């Protein structure tokens, strides 16, 4: 079975070496941001040290994880489908929280919604699945309000496709 929540986490030694090479001011910022999160601290620190500089690659890797999770979705069983979708969304939201970027948030949620739409899950008679889908669209629109107009236009075209 797929393990969506497992992303490559650096070892303590790798983290230590990277922290030693980091400047004092940046180290302070990293530690303060790390202190805000009680869970998955190593995962967050790995993101900040190794992936934050290349947001596009990070975004693509999370999209691949989401795609992999959707291939394992139990379609005939609505109950298991709901549980699996919630798990995928929970992991996606955790990675959104790591990035702290509204553009990453909007892009990942649009990808999540497009996968739901492509599988026809949003068209089911289940109010829970429909509400889940609608809430993600609402979160996308909220995240888009703070972005630059050009980015908003590009993302709006993607939303219109949903």
């Amino acid at each position: 079975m797929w393990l969506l929540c497992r992303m490559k986490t650096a070892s303590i030694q790798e983290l230590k070496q990277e922290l030693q090479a980091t400047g004092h001011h940046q180290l302070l910022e990293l530690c303060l941001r790390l202190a805000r999160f009680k869970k998955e601290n190593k995962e967050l620190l790995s993101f900040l040290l190794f992936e934050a500089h290349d947001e596009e690659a990070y975004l693509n890797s999370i999209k691949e994880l989401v795609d992999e999770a959707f291939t394992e979705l139990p379609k005939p069983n609505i109950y298991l489908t709901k549980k699996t979708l919630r798990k995928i969304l929970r992991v996606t939201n955790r990675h959104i929280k790591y990035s702290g970027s509204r553009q990453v948030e909007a892009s990942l949620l649009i990808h999540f919604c497009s996968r739901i739409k492509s599988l026809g899950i949003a068209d089911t008679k289940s109010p829970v699945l429909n509400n889940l889908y609608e809430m993600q669209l609402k979160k996308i629109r909220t995240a888009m309000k703070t972005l630059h107009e050009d980015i908003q236009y590009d993302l709006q075209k993607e939303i219109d496709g949903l």
Side-chain angles (χ1 to χ4, degrees), residues 63 70 105-123 130 132-141 144 153-162:
K63 285 181 180 181
F70 268 96
E105 177 181 4
S107 296
L108 285 176
L109 291 178
I110 287 172
H111 184 72
F112 178 81
C113 288
S114 68
R115 293 291 299 176
I116 288 176
K117 193 71 170 178
S118 69
L119 293 174
I121 296 170
D123 299 329
N130 289 332
L132 179 93
Y133 182 77
E134 292 299 323
M135 286 303 295
Q136 300 320 303
L137 290 177
K138 186 177 177 183
K139 284 173 70 176
I140 292 167
R141 289 186 185 98
M144 282 178 42
Y153 178 75
D154 293 338
L155 293 175
Q156 185 62 45
K157 286 196 302 189
E158 290 183 45
I159 290 176
D160 292 342
L162 298 175

Side-chain angles (χ1 to χ4, degrees), residues 48-147:
L48 292 172
L49 293 173
F50 303 116
E51 300 181 51
H53 65 279
D54 192 2
E55 199 172 81
E56 192 65 33
Y58 178 71
L59 189 62
N60 290 333
S61 69
I62 302 307
K63 285 181 180 181
E64 288 175 17
L65 287 173
V66 170
D67 288 341
E68 184 179 327
F70 268 96
T71 61
E72 300 286 331
L73 199 63
K75 293 173 192 157
N77 188 337
I78 282 287
Y79 174 74
L80 290 177
T81 301
K82 290 176 196 176
K83 285 184 66 109
T84 306
L85 281 176
R86 285 189 190 116
K87 182 177 181 179
I88 295 168
L89 185 60
R90 188 171 50 250
V91 172
T92 303
N93 283 331
R94 185 172 67 221
H95 290 290
I96 289 170
K97 181 173 66 171
Y98 291 163
S99 75
S101 166
R102 291 296 205 167
Q103 185 173 356
V104 169
E105 177 181 4
S107 296
L108 285 176
L109 291 178
I110 287 172
H111 184 72
F112 178 81
C113 288
S114 68
R115 293 291 299 176
I116 288 176
K117 193 71 170 178
S118 69
L119 293 174
I121 296 170
D123 299 329
T124 62
K125 293 184 170 121
S126 170
V128 173
L129 292 177
N130 289 332
N131 288 342
L132 179 93
Y133 182 77
E134 292 299 323
M135 286 303 295
Q136 300 320 303
L137 290 177
K138 186 177 177 183
K139 284 173 70 176
I140 292 167
R141 289 186 185 98
T142 303
M144 282 178 42
K145 289 179 184 176
T146 62
L147 298 175

